[in-house]
């Protein structure tokens, strides 16, 4: 199947242009958004589309196709969030077993000296903003649904530790990642921070805040720290919004610089975060103007409709990371030269979520 055909009619396991079965965070992001559409509009084929991935990937004993707990990768946790609703509606015990299997990973996940989860075992001593989204909302929902109030302090600590160590006082932004050991070539030798604020990394973190807060009780000690961080994130989203388009750049701390570009995944993530945070009362209602300007910019500059009526969202960075093999240095030239593509789940999912929040706010 060509990439063009996969865009138009992918099976649920083919999301993110996958040629073979893979348990991946992109599937969870987009299928979770599709389940939200189902929850609002009740079209059963949407639920069945998500269920088909769950059925394809999950064995009767709760083990998951291509998921290896020993990798200790936070990326592998995110898709588990959609199991909560699949199990709720099917009552199939294999999904409860899969949820328990994913939750168990946190018991072995390596940590920094302050208790922050390493992003992956192969990325020692490193916390990435991406990883907070991949792990913490699942962790929070599992704690809420399984009456584990003892976990809330640990969940809150993930947000606080990474905020402390990725915050850049010169810009008010949060850098992509932090290496406690300062061993990585991409890490500043004094701070351990990576060199830039990558738009999608901050988008992941922003979404993680509003999604995890759904499940952390209002009386929980430290919850106010998350709200303070969220309010700073919102302030920076407003500050760095492109005045002309209402959108945001791939490398936010270099907004407007040569080679930089307005990027759809971070823009949709920011708009979703603002809409939801306004609806939930986490941030001031004045941010609605920022969010609506961003949403209009997405519709105008990123959404395309072809002659057959097929809708696409364009200008998404396919992937970006740090370290690894081949080594990713995390400098400006690296971020602006990664592949750009259309209909990336990391833009599709947040666009659906942002659109649903827009509808909730306007009802």
């Amino acid at each position: 199947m060509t990439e063009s055909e996969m865009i138009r009619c992918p099976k649920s396991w083919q999301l993110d242009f996958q040629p073979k079965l893979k348990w991946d965070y992109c599937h969870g992001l987009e299928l979770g958004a599709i389940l939200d559409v189902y929850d609002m509009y009740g079209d059963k084929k949407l639920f069945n589309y998500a269920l088909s991935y769950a059925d394809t990937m999950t064995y009767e004993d709760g083990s998951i196709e291509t998921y290896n707990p020993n990798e200790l990768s936070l990326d592998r946790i995110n898709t588990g969030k959609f199991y909560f609703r699949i199990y709720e509606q099917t009552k199939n015990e294999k999904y409860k077993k899969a949820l328990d299997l994913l939750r168990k990973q946190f018991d072995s996940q390596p940590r920094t000296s302050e208790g922050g989860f390493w992003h992956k075992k192969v990325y020692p001593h490193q916390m990435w903003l991406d990883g907070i989204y991949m792990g913490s909302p699942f962790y929070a929902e599992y704690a809420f649904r399984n009456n584990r109030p003892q976990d809330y302090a640990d969940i809150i600590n993930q947000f606080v530790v990474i905020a402390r160590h990725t915050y850049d006082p010169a810009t008010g932004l949060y850098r992509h990642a932090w290496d406690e050991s300062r061993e990585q070539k991409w890490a500043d030798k004094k701070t351990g921070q990576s060199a830039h604020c990558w738009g999608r990394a901050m988008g992941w973190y922003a979404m993680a805040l509003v999604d995890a807060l759904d499940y952390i009780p209002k009386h929980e000690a430290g919850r106010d720290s998350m709200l303070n961080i969220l309010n700073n994130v919102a302030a920076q989203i407003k500050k760095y919004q492109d005045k002309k388009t209402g959108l945001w750049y791939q490398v936010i701390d270099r907004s407007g610089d040569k080679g930089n570009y307005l990027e759809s995944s971070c823009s949709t993530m920011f708009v979703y975060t603002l809409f939801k945070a306004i609806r939930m009362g986490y941030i001031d209602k004045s941010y609605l103007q920022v969010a609506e300007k961003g949403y209009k910019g997405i519709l105008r500059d990123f959404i395309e409709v072809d002659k057959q009526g097929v809708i696409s969202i364009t200008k998404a960075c396919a992937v970006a990371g740090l370290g690894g093999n081949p080594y990713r240095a995390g400098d400006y030239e690296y971020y602006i030269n990664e592949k750009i593509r259309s209909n990336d789940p990391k833009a599709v999912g947040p666009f659906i979520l942002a659109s649903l929040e827009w509808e909730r706010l306007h009802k």
Side-chain angles (χ1 to χ4, degrees):
M1 180 176 283
T2 67
E3 186 167 303
S4 175
E5 289 171 330
M6 289 173 70
I7 289 169
R8 293 172 185 272
C9 55
K11 294 181 179 180
S12 56
W13 64 265
Q14 292 174 315
L15 293 176
D16 200 30
F17 315 104
Q18 289 296 336
K20 58 185 179 180
L21 296 181
K22 184 180 182 182
W23 180 251
D24 186 60
Y25 66 88
C26 287
H27 294 76
L29 174 61
E30 189 164 340
L31 293 174
I34 288 170
L35 284 175
D36 282 358
V37 179
Y38 166 70
D39 288 344
M40 184 172 281
Y41 291 102
D43 187 339
K44 193 70 174 181
K45 72 173 180 281
L46 298 173
F47 178 80
N48 290 337
Y49 186 73
L51 177 62
S52 67
Y53 184 67
D55 272 342
T56 299
M57 301 300 291
T58 318
Y59 295 97
E60 290 303 314
D61 64 355
S63 59
I64 302 166
E65 178 70 30
T66 76
Y67 169 63
N68 179 2
N70 295 324
E71 287 181 349
L72 296 169
S73 170
L74 292 180
D75 284 348
R76 302 293 168 253
I77 299 292
N78 180 62
T79 292
K81 289 182 300 188
F82 94 134
Y83 275 143
F84 291 114
R85 284 183 282 180
I86 297 291
Y87 174 63
E88 202 170 53
Q89 298 205 30
T90 65
K91 302 302 181 186
N92 189 325
E93 283 299 311
K94 73 177 182 178
Y95 300 124
K96 178 66 170 67
K97 293 174 182 176
L99 285 164
D100 294 341
L101 175 67
L102 291 166
R103 168 59 185 82
K104 193 175 180 181
Q105 181 180 314
F106 291 124
D107 296 336
S108 303
Q109 194 73 20
R111 296 171 180 259
T112 69
S113 61
E114 296 166 294
F117 291 131
W118 293 7
H119 187 56
K120 300 180 183 182
K121 184 169 69 174
V122 295
Y123 296 148
H125 312 291
Q126 299 167 41
M127 293 186 75
W128 295 18
L129 291 175
D130 322 31
I132 303 300
Y133 179 83
M134 300 306 158
S136 293
F138 174 92
Y139 195 3
E141 187 168 357
Y142 190 98
F144 178 82
R145 288 177 178 261
N146 292 275
N147 192 28
R148 292 182 57 89
Q150 66 271 29
D151 289 341
Y152 291 133
D154 192 23
I155 295 159
I156 291 168
N157 191 50
Q158 304 306 313
F159 289 93
V160 173
V161 170
I162 200 163
R164 180 185 303 134
H165 291 292
T166 59
Y167 179 70
D168 175 16
T171 63
L173 298 165
Y174 299 89
R175 302 285 184 91
H176 187 174
W178 166 66
D179 173 16
E180 184 176 36
S181 70
R182 278 73 165 167
E183 292 175 353
Q184 290 298 311
K185 287 183 284 186
W186 54 256
D188 183 276
K189 296 307 176 188
K190 288 186 178 180
T191 66
Q193 292 180 352
S194 58
H196 293 288
C197 175
W198 176 40
R200 185 157 73 232
M202 196 160 145
W204 287 128
Y205 187 52
M207 293 200 301
L209 284 159
V210 293
D211 289 352
L213 281 166
D214 285 343
Y215 302 103
I216 297 175
K218 291 182 179 179
H219 64 264
E220 186 67 34
R223 189 176 188 270
D224 57 338
S225 297
M226 290 179 64
L227 292 171
N228 289 337
I229 294 167
L230 176 57
N231 272 269
N232 181 60
V233 168
Q236 303 316 315
I237 290 172
K238 178 180 179 180
K239 176 182 174 182
Y240 288 91
Q241 183 178 40
D242 181 59
K243 290 180 172 58
K244 181 179 179 182
T245 63
L247 302 169
W248 290 268
Y249 279 88
Q250 162 78 341
V251 184
I252 299 185
D253 55 296
R254 296 284 298 271
S255 293
D257 285 3
K258 184 178 179 181
N260 210 351
Y261 61 94
L262 298 167
E263 198 273 334
S264 61
S265 68
C266 74
S267 294
T268 52
M269 290 176 178
F270 290 154
V271 169
Y272 163 66
T273 297
L274 293 180
F275 276 152
K276 184 172 182 179
I278 292 162
R279 178 174 63 83
M280 298 299 292
Y282 300 146
I283 61 177
D284 191 82
K285 291 180 180 178
S286 63
Y287 283 103
L288 185 59
Q289 185 177 357
V290 179
E292 290 192 325
K293 184 176 182 180
Y295 191 62
K296 290 174 183 175
I298 292 165
L299 295 175
R300 182 188 61 247
D301 292 348
F302 294 145
I303 300 298
E304 294 181 354
V305 183
D306 70 12
K307 293 178 181 178
Q308 285 75 44
V310 176
I311 299 170
S312 292
I313 184 165
T314 63
K315 299 185 178 73
C317 172
V319 67
L322 295 162
N325 184 22
Y327 198 85
R328 298 164 294 183
D331 57 1
Y332 180 66
E333 293 299 318
Y334 164 71
Y335 284 113
I336 64 171
N337 285 298
E338 276 288 27
K339 181 181 178 181
I340 301 169
R341 65 185 184 182
S342 297
N343 297 314
D344 191 294
K346 299 177 287 293
V348 174
F351 176 67
I352 294 171
L353 296 172
S355 298
L356 291 172
E357 287 294 340
W358 185 89
E359 290 181 10
R360 292 185 184 105
L361 281 168
H362 286 79
K363 278 187 175 179

